[in-house]
Amino acid sequence: MRTTEIVAGFRQSAPYVNAHRGKTFVVVLGGETIQQAEFHEIINDIALLHSLGIKIVLVYGARPQISSALESNQLTSSFHKSIRITDDSTLGLIKQVAGGLMLDITARLSMSLSNTPMQGAQINVVSGNFVIAQPIGVDDGIDYHHSGKVRRIDVAGIKRQLDNNCIVVMGPIAASITGESFNLTAEEVATQVAIKLSADKMIGFSEANGVFNKDGKIIAELMPNKAESIYHKMVDNEEGCSSLRAFLRASVTAARAGVPRCHLVSHQINGSLLQELFSRDGIGTQIVTEPAERLRAASISDIGGIIDLIRPLEDQGLLVRRSREQLEMEIDHFILIERDGLVIACAALYPFNEESCGEMSCLAVHPEYRDADRGQTLLKHIVLKARQRNYEKVFALTTRSIHWFLEHGFKIGKVEDLPQQKQKLYNYQRLSKILTLEL
């Protein structure tokens, strides 16, 4: 890698380093991930997150390791509704496997060789009885025996350890109030921990690098309802690997309970965790909380709301005045953010297809909603639309918001940088500044 590429990558990641510092991430390490040859690289990346001030809770599973150990000992176990039935004959072996993995993970997090990213890390790893379990019991006439589910999470205890700069590690075995041990799924433990901690993210790994659409392209973002629909389709058609389906189901539960973002990346791509968290476009699929607000394309019925929003800015000379007739003709260029039926923000992308560029125009946010980066949300969507059209750049003309555009990657341009048609219409009396963003 050339020096310039290193510098560019480091600079691009800086905003995400600042955004993630002090946040709480719950990371699910399924047994399939742990058995990967490159698992040590994932541990190195998790250690890097910790060194950047991110609070980490690791929850590991052991499905393939348990199945292998049972087979080696000529023991069998069955599943009901994707949950292993843990009877007396298998519980002891499952505890051995889970305990061994705990020691292996702790050992890897304790590594500090000079030729690894963990040099001098000195990570404190803490495990304990943070999860109290209870038996699943009998379902459809099937007795789950020692298979359990989460009853309670010691939130205060976990937070104390995180505040002491420790990584908290949890396995699939948890004790009950009666002193019994129960076998839980890693996904359920991670989901309940993320919910109770009000974690900022839950992150999981699978063979696939997220969820793909029918064209074979990664779906960058899913709402819970859509994610649930995809999950059921996968189950019905026996599609996708088990780890993907398990995390997808867990993410739906977590997102609906308020966990803002659940990320799914591949354990087969070196550095996928870092690419997902520290690059602008990410690499996997996010399941995100249902928004209280809706970003959508504008329609004719929105004209009144848009006029109410932009008219005060037009009166102040901050926006070029548009008539209702003009807005009706140009409504297809507009996107907006709606909250409880009220248009609280809007922007437009005007096409200049011959020059492979577009103009971001008429950016407006309601005065009572200017403290939550809604302008940035609109900008991201405008840029996404421009990229989908294979535009090479987006430009904007402004008299007052110059610094805002500069903060979001635009650069000062000249009249000569505008498309020919726009140059002819440039108002030298208004003397708007020209900002350009290369795509």
Side-chain angles (χ1 to χ4, degrees):
M1 181 182 288
R2 294 180 300 173
T3 302
T4 52
E5 292 174 335
I6 296 173
V7 171
F10 196 75
R11 286 172 175 166
Q12 187 190 72
S13 68
Y16 301 98
V17 173
N18 295 328
H20 297 330
R21 186 181 295 115
K23 300 298 176 61
T24 300
F25 294 0
V26 176
V27 182
V28 190
L29 300 174
E32 297 84 358
T33 298
I34 295 172
Q35 68 183 6
Q36 295 297 309
E38 301 301 316
F39 178 59
H40 66 281
E41 297 288 4
I42 294 175
I43 289 293
N44 287 343
D45 291 344
I46 290 171
L48 177 57
L49 298 185
H50 178 262
S51 71
L52 294 174
I54 297 170
K55 299 176 180 180
I56 303 290
V57 178
L58 288 185
V59 181
Y60 70 89
R63 285 191 195 93
Q65 291 85 353
I66 291 172
S67 295
S68 178
L70 291 174
E71 183 179 348
S72 297
N73 285 269
Q74 298 181 336
L75 294 172
T76 60
S77 65
S78 57
F79 288 80
H80 181 62
K81 295 183 178 178
S82 300
I83 298 174
R84 188 189 300 274
I85 297 172
T86 309
D87 57 20
D88 293 335
S89 63
T90 58
L91 178 62
L93 190 57
I94 290 173
K95 288 163 69 175
Q96 289 180 33
V97 172
L101 288 179
M102 171 71 78
L103 294 174
D104 289 343
I105 292 171
T106 301
R108 289 186 179 275
L109 286 170
S110 302
M111 184 175 62
S112 58
L113 295 178
S114 60
N115 62 341
T116 72
M118 296 178 67
Q119 179 181 355
Q122 295 182 332
I123 297 172
N124 290 319
V125 179
V126 175
S127 59
N129 58 339
F130 298 114
V131 177
I132 300 299
Q134 62 183 359
I136 295 176
V138 179
D139 180 38
D140 294 335
I142 303 296
D143 190 346
Y144 281 96
H145 297 286
H146 296 285
S147 293
K149 58 184 179 180
V150 174
R151 176 177 182 175
R152 187 169 66 245
I153 304 288
D154 181 7
V155 175
I158 296 173
K159 287 185 175 180
R160 276 197 302 271
Q161 299 304 326
L162 295 176
D163 291 342
N164 287 333
N165 203 33
C166 298
I167 290 181
V168 175
V169 179
M170 300 178 182
I173 302 296
S176 70
I177 58 172
T178 60
E180 299 173 273
S181 295
F182 288 93
N183 181 21
L184 285 66
T185 66
E187 289 79 15
E188 194 217 352
V189 173
T191 300
Q192 293 304 315
V193 168
I195 292 170
K196 299 303 182 184
L197 285 180
S198 299
D200 299 280
K201 295 182 184 294
M202 186 169 76
I203 303 166
F205 295 84
S206 77
E207 181 180 326
N209 194 38
V211 179
F212 294 81
N213 62 20
K214 61 181 180 180
D215 298 322
K217 295 182 179 180
I218 284 286
I219 302 175
E221 188 172 283
L222 288 170
M223 296 298 176
N225 286 347
K226 181 62 176 178
E228 184 177 42
S229 174
I230 292 173
Y231 164 74
H232 286 302
K233 181 181 177 182
M234 285 182 174
V235 172
D236 293 341
N237 298 330
E238 297 183 354
E239 298 174 343
C241 58
S242 59
S243 56
L244 186 154
R245 294 196 300 266
F247 186 79
L248 199 58
R249 180 178 59 186
S251 296
V252 170
T253 301
R256 285 176 173 163
V259 177
R261 296 188 180 276
C262 300
H263 299 258
L264 179 63
V265 293
S266 174
H267 53 224
Q268 296 185 339
I269 298 177
N270 189 9
S272 61
L273 177 61
L274 301 183
Q275 291 183 66
E276 174 70 7
L277 296 177
F278 296 100
S279 66
R280 181 173 57 195
D281 299 322
I283 191 174
T285 296
Q286 296 182 54
I287 292 84
V288 300
T289 307
E290 290 280 11
E293 301 169 3
R294 251 194 337 145
L295 187 150
R296 60 174 176 81
S299 66
I300 289 293
S301 62
D302 298 312
I303 295 292
I306 293 174
I307 289 176
D308 290 342
L309 181 65
I310 67 175
R311 194 65 79 214
L313 299 177
E314 292 174 349
D315 293 341
Q316 297 173 46
L318 301 180
L319 292 178
V320 174
R321 186 171 292 277
R322 291 170 171 80
S323 66
R324 175 179 285 272
E325 291 74 21
Q326 183 181 356
L327 282 172
E328 290 176 354
M329 292 172 58
E330 299 173 348
I331 194 65
D332 289 342
H333 301 321
F334 278 75
I335 59 171
L336 56 83
I337 298 176
E338 178 189 56
R339 184 182 182 95
D340 297 329
L342 174 69
V343 177
I344 63 169
C346 71
L349 177 63
Y350 288 89
F352 291 86
N353 294 326
E354 293 183 1
E355 288 91 347
S356 295
C357 65
E359 179 187 8
M360 181 176 180
S361 183
C362 203
L363 174 61
V365 181
H366 192 285
E368 294 180 11
Y369 296 94
R370 289 178 182 167
D371 58 350
D373 296 326
R374 291 177 177 87
Q376 184 176 349
T377 298
L378 291 169
L379 171 59
K380 286 181 178 178
H381 194 74
I382 290 289
V383 169
L384 177 62
K385 289 181 65 175
R387 285 190 171 132
Q388 290 172 342
R389 298 177 185 178
N390 295 318
Y391 288 170
E392 296 175 359
K393 69 177 181 181
V394 171
F395 67 92
L397 276 65
T398 182
T399 57
R400 299 282 186 89
S401 303
I402 302 165
H403 281 198
W404 186 87
F405 283 100
L406 292 175
E407 288 171 0
H408 289 85
F410 284 73
K411 295 182 179 179
I412 297 289
K414 300 176 293 186
V415 174
E416 293 74 24
D417 296 328
L418 298 174
Q420 289 293 325
Q421 181 183 351
K422 194 68 179 180
Q423 289 184 34
K424 296 176 182 178
L425 298 174
Y426 182 77
N427 187 335
Y428 283 89
Q429 287 186 322
R430 184 173 173 81
L431 208 60
S432 298
K433 295 293 183 181
I434 298 163
L435 287 302
T436 63
L437 177 67
E438 300 292 331
L439 303 180

